[in-house]
Tab-separated table of all heavy atoms in Angstrom:
chain	number	residue	atom	x	y	z
A	346	LEU	N	51.435	178.827	79.116
A	346	LEU	CA	52.703	178.755	79.739
A	346	LEU	C	53.777	179.435	79.074
A	346	LEU	O	54.961	179.568	79.557
A	346	LEU	CB	53.052	177.295	79.957
A	346	LEU	CG	51.989	176.351	80.686
A	346	LEU	CD1	52.486	174.898	80.676
A	346	LEU	CD2	51.888	176.859	82.146
A	347	ILE	N	53.629	179.939	77.798
A	347	ILE	CA	54.790	180.384	77.105
A	347	ILE	C	55.404	181.658	77.628
A	347	ILE	O	56.593	181.893	77.502
A	347	ILE	CB	54.435	180.530	75.624
A	347	ILE	CG1	53.442	181.804	75.481
A	347	ILE	CG2	53.932	179.314	74.868
A	347	ILE	CD1	53.151	182.206	74.054
A	348	ASN	N	54.601	182.430	78.435
A	348	ASN	CA	55.212	183.616	79.045
A	348	ASN	C	56.112	183.369	80.263
A	348	ASN	O	56.893	184.165	80.609
A	348	ASN	CB	54.017	184.679	79.383
A	348	ASN	CG	53.473	185.285	78.224
A	348	ASN	OD1	54.168	185.662	77.161
A	348	ASN	ND2	52.130	185.457	78.137
A	349	LYS	N	55.912	182.154	80.787
A	349	LYS	CA	56.589	181.717	81.958
A	349	LYS	C	57.871	180.904	81.464
A	349	LYS	O	58.844	180.907	82.356
A	349	LYS	CB	55.762	180.829	82.947
A	349	LYS	CG	54.563	181.627	83.471
A	349	LYS	CD	53.710	180.608	84.218
A	349	LYS	CE	54.355	180.111	85.572
A	349	LYS	NZ	53.404	179.329	86.333
A	350	TYR	N	57.890	180.197	80.408
A	350	TYR	CA	58.950	179.377	80.127
A	350	TYR	C	59.381	179.635	78.611
A	350	TYR	O	58.802	179.323	77.711
A	350	TYR	CB	58.460	177.873	80.099
A	350	TYR	CG	57.943	177.554	81.503
A	350	TYR	CD1	56.575	177.584	81.817
A	350	TYR	CD2	58.807	177.385	82.659
A	350	TYR	CE1	56.113	177.316	83.048
A	350	TYR	CE2	58.325	177.122	83.776
A	350	TYR	CZ	56.975	177.074	84.121
A	350	TYR	OH	56.511	176.913	85.404
A	351	PRO	N	60.508	180.428	78.537
A	351	PRO	CA	61.054	180.899	77.185
A	351	PRO	C	61.502	179.829	76.278
A	351	PRO	O	61.743	180.173	75.141
A	351	PRO	CB	62.156	181.899	77.561
A	351	PRO	CG	62.595	181.421	78.956
A	351	PRO	CD	61.447	180.911	79.611
A	352	ASN	N	61.577	178.612	76.689
A	352	ASN	CA	62.098	177.465	75.917
A	352	ASN	C	60.848	176.570	75.432
A	352	ASN	O	61.053	175.530	74.924
A	352	ASN	CB	63.096	176.601	76.586
A	352	ASN	CG	62.549	175.957	77.896
A	352	ASN	OD1	61.706	176.622	78.600
A	352	ASN	ND2	62.985	174.790	78.251
A	353	LEU	N	59.610	177.037	75.705
A	353	LEU	CA	58.489	176.151	75.443
A	353	LEU	C	57.824	176.691	74.186
A	353	LEU	O	57.422	177.934	74.020
A	353	LEU	CB	57.437	176.311	76.572
A	353	LEU	CG	56.248	175.395	76.381
A	353	LEU	CD1	56.479	173.884	76.335
A	353	LEU	CD2	55.189	175.781	77.525
A	354	LEU	N	57.631	175.786	73.102
A	354	LEU	CA	57.062	176.067	71.863
A	354	LEU	C	55.811	175.208	71.752
A	354	LEU	O	55.911	174.044	71.929
A	354	LEU	CB	57.925	175.855	70.668
A	354	LEU	CG	57.323	176.388	69.271
A	354	LEU	CD1	57.650	177.893	69.197
A	354	LEU	CD2	58.218	175.683	68.178
A	355	VAL	N	54.625	175.802	71.410
A	355	VAL	CA	53.336	175.041	71.359
A	355	VAL	C	52.926	175.267	69.802
A	355	VAL	O	52.748	176.361	69.249
A	355	VAL	CB	52.286	175.639	72.185
A	355	VAL	CG1	51.038	174.836	72.078
A	355	VAL	CG2	52.704	175.538	73.689
A	356	ILE	N	52.658	174.100	69.202
A	356	ILE	CA	52.276	174.088	67.771
A	356	ILE	C	50.836	173.504	67.574
A	356	ILE	O	50.487	172.410	68.237
A	356	ILE	CB	53.341	173.311	66.919
A	356	ILE	CG1	54.747	173.756	67.067
A	356	ILE	CG2	52.763	173.022	65.548
A	356	ILE	CD1	55.723	172.936	66.330
A	357	GLN	N	50.091	174.234	66.825
A	357	GLN	CA	48.749	173.860	66.510
A	357	GLN	C	48.468	173.988	65.022
A	357	GLN	O	49.264	174.286	64.257
A	357	GLN	CB	47.775	174.695	67.283
A	357	GLN	CG	47.797	174.519	68.814
A	357	GLN	CD	46.715	175.232	69.578
A	357	GLN	OE1	45.709	175.710	69.049
A	357	GLN	NE2	46.874	175.305	70.872
A	358	THR	N	47.193	173.576	64.731
A	358	THR	CA	46.833	173.464	63.305
A	358	THR	C	45.408	173.918	63.090
A	358	THR	O	44.587	173.795	63.945
A	358	THR	CB	47.048	172.099	62.699
A	358	THR	OG1	46.572	172.033	61.280
A	358	THR	CG2	46.215	171.138	63.470
A	359	PHE	N	45.036	174.418	61.848
A	359	PHE	CA	43.750	174.683	61.337
A	359	PHE	C	43.002	173.468	60.795
A	359	PHE	O	41.840	173.368	60.490
A	359	PHE	CB	43.749	175.711	60.266
A	359	PHE	CG	43.780	177.185	60.885
A	359	PHE	CD1	45.149	177.763	60.977
A	359	PHE	CD2	42.740	177.821	61.244
A	359	PHE	CE1	45.360	178.955	61.503
A	359	PHE	CE2	42.991	179.286	61.769
A	359	PHE	CZ	44.191	179.815	61.908
A	360	SER	N	43.783	172.302	60.694
A	360	SER	CA	43.351	171.151	59.881
A	360	SER	C	42.267	170.386	60.589
A	360	SER	O	41.351	169.880	59.969
A	360	SER	CB	44.502	170.187	59.581
A	360	SER	OG	45.449	170.839	58.666
A	361	LYS	N	42.201	170.304	61.899
A	361	LYS	CA	41.352	169.378	62.663
A	361	LYS	C	40.013	170.048	63.052
A	361	LYS	O	38.998	169.903	62.516
A	361	LYS	CB	42.078	168.721	63.717
A	361	LYS	CG	43.482	168.251	63.415
A	361	LYS	CD	43.509	167.140	62.460
A	361	LYS	CE	44.973	166.663	62.201
A	361	LYS	NZ	45.103	165.746	61.087
A	362	SER	N	40.156	170.836	64.168
A	362	SER	CA	38.970	171.365	64.807
A	362	SER	C	38.365	172.510	63.937
A	362	SER	O	37.146	172.881	64.170
A	362	SER	CB	39.312	171.907	66.199
A	362	SER	OG	40.422	172.813	66.222
A	363	ARG	N	39.076	173.169	63.050
A	363	ARG	CA	38.558	174.268	62.282
A	363	ARG	C	38.245	173.880	60.849
A	363	ARG	O	38.038	174.620	59.958
A	363	ARG	CB	39.472	175.435	62.345
A	363	ARG	CG	39.601	175.988	63.748
A	363	ARG	CD	40.342	177.337	63.808
A	363	ARG	NE	40.706	177.654	65.191
A	363	ARG	CZ	39.960	178.250	65.961
A	363	ARG	NH1	38.727	178.763	65.659
A	363	ARG	NH2	40.375	178.503	67.328
A	364	SER	N	38.296	172.461	60.537
A	364	SER	CA	37.797	171.907	59.260
A	364	SER	C	38.522	172.478	57.995
A	364	SER	O	37.951	172.658	56.978
A	364	SER	CB	36.364	172.164	59.223
A	364	SER	OG	35.646	171.836	60.238
Side-chain angles (χ1 to χ4, degrees):
L346 301 177
I347 65 170
N348 288 319
K349 296 175 66 175
Y350 304 99
N352 63 324
L353 183 65
L354 188 76
V355 179
I356 297 176
Q357 296 189 12
T358 178
F359 283 91
S360 294
K361 314 300 182 185
S362 56
R363 298 189 192 273
S364 310

